[in-house]
Every structure is written in C-alpha cells, then in structure tokens.
Amino acid sequence: MEYSKKTAKPLKVFNTIHLFSSSSSSSSSSSSSSSSSSSRWSSSSATSIQGPCAACKVLRRRCSESCILAPYFTPTKVLQFITAHRIFGAGNIIRWLKVLLTGLEYSKKMREIPEMNRADAVSSMVYEANARIVDPVYGCAGVISELQRQLQQVQAELAMTQAELLFLGCQQQQLKDNANS
C-alpha cells in the first residue's frame, strides 16, 4: 500500500495480472481444501493446526470448526477474500454460502450446484470481484466481450488463411496441368 501525503487513507494499487492469476490458480486447490477443512483443526500434532481462515483473519473474529468460509478461503487466500469482501461484502458472501450449503429457497440455480463444484462457484465469485476492480462498469461482461471480439478476429484470420491456402493449391494445380499439356 502506498500512502499519499494529502490524506491519511491508503491508496490501494492492484496488479491485474496478479489478481487474475491468483484466482485461477486457486480453483484447482480449493476443491482439495474443501475436503480437508476438518483436518485443519485436527489435533494429531500441534504443528499441523493452520489457524483461522482468511475470512476470519480479515474480519478479526474467532474461527470455529463450523466456519462456512474456511473451506473456500484458507489461511493463504487472504487477498482473495479481501477482494471479494470489498466488492460483495462479507455479509453477502456468508449469506450466499449459507444458501449454497443449506439449499434454502433463495435461488434454484444455487441449490442445483453439486457439492464438488461449490469451490468453483466461490472461485468464480472471486474472479468476478477481481474483474469488477479492474473494470467497475462491465466486470466479467467486459472480459467476455473482449474475448468474443478476439475470437471473431482469429476466426476471420483463419478463414482468410484457409482461402489463401485453397487459392494457392488451385494455382499450383493449374501450373501442374499446364506443364503436363
């Protein structure tokens, strides 16, 4: 964090590449961390206890074994929780996860998410928060729009290259036919 001399508030500088890479690399590890949430509090050895989850660290509260944020925001994912908390708010994240875990009638689509894909849903929420920080107006829609534009551009380039190859193939065939006659 950098501090300006005019105000006492910190100026937060985000590296967009770091934000997006941290959310995408965490999606594969978050599914394994959801199964090991009870092992983080295991008393098999005193050194295996990792401590509170990232959410409880940021919110400065006691993290219990039944913390619904712990499987998705492990102690190493503090930046991801801070980003999601800044955009959606901790109360909304907790409310969304409670609906996701208990299957209450909040949204049929959320209830339909299987347990093995819930970590991916949380990862998507973190990605959306990162996209909203980078582009507050469009968020993920801006990223999707840009990727679709790039896809159309590459498809047009591919079509032109295929047409050029076909033209060169026909031209080569005509040269062979003229040489044979």
Side-chain angles (χ1 to χ4, degrees):
M1 283 187 201
E2 298 177 9
Y3 290 92
S4 87
K5 293 183 179 183
K6 295 179 184 177
T7 63
K9 295 181 181 179
L11 299 173
K12 294 180 176 72
V13 179
F14 287 94
N15 183 352
T16 58
I17 296 172
H18 175 69
L19 287 175
F20 283 115
S21 66
S22 67
S23 67
S24 63
S25 66
S26 68
S27 63
S28 61
S29 65
S30 61
S31 60
S32 64
S33 67
S34 63
S35 62
S36 65
S37 65
S38 62
S39 66
R40 71 185 182 100
W41 293 103
S42 65
S43 58
S44 59
S45 71
T47 59
S48 68
I49 297 176
Q50 294 179 0
C53 66
C56 292
K57 279 183 187 177
V58 171
L59 299 174
R60 295 181 182 166
R61 66 180 194 183
R62 187 173 177 91
C63 190
S64 66
E65 287 185 33
S66 63
C67 179
I68 64 170
L69 297 169
Y72 308 108
F73 297 104
T74 58
T76 59
K77 298 180 181 176
V78 175
L79 180 62
Q80 291 178 358
F81 180 77
I82 289 172
T83 304
H85 172 54
R86 173 188 278 173
I87 300 300
F88 300 115
N92 289 330
I93 294 171
I94 292 169
R95 194 173 311 119
W96 184 73
L97 281 173
K98 282 182 181 177
V99 167
L100 193 66
L101 295 173
T102 59
L104 296 175
E105 193 62 38
Y106 179 76
S107 170
K108 289 183 180 180
K109 289 188 178 190
M110 283 189 190
R111 274 193 321 165
E112 294 172 1
I113 297 176
E115 190 172 335
M116 62 184 170
N117 293 345
R118 290 178 183 163
D120 293 334
V122 172
S123 177
S124 295
M125 179 179 53
V126 171
Y127 186 83
E128 171 68 29
N130 287 331
R132 285 281 167 196
I133 287 175
V134 173
D135 186 0
V137 175
Y138 294 109
C140 280
V143 173
I144 291 169
S145 176
E146 175 63 24
L147 290 174
Q148 285 176 339
R149 187 193 64 76
Q150 288 176 6
L151 179 64
Q152 289 172 348
Q153 184 179 8
V154 169
Q155 285 174 338
E157 186 179 340
L158 177 64
M160 292 202 38
T161 304
Q162 288 174 337
E164 190 175 334
L165 282 172
L166 184 63
F167 175 75
L168 290 174
C170 290
Q171 194 176 30
Q172 188 178 15
Q173 186 65 33
Q174 284 180 352
L175 288 173
K176 283 183 183 178
D177 289 344
N178 288 341
N180 289 339
S181 49

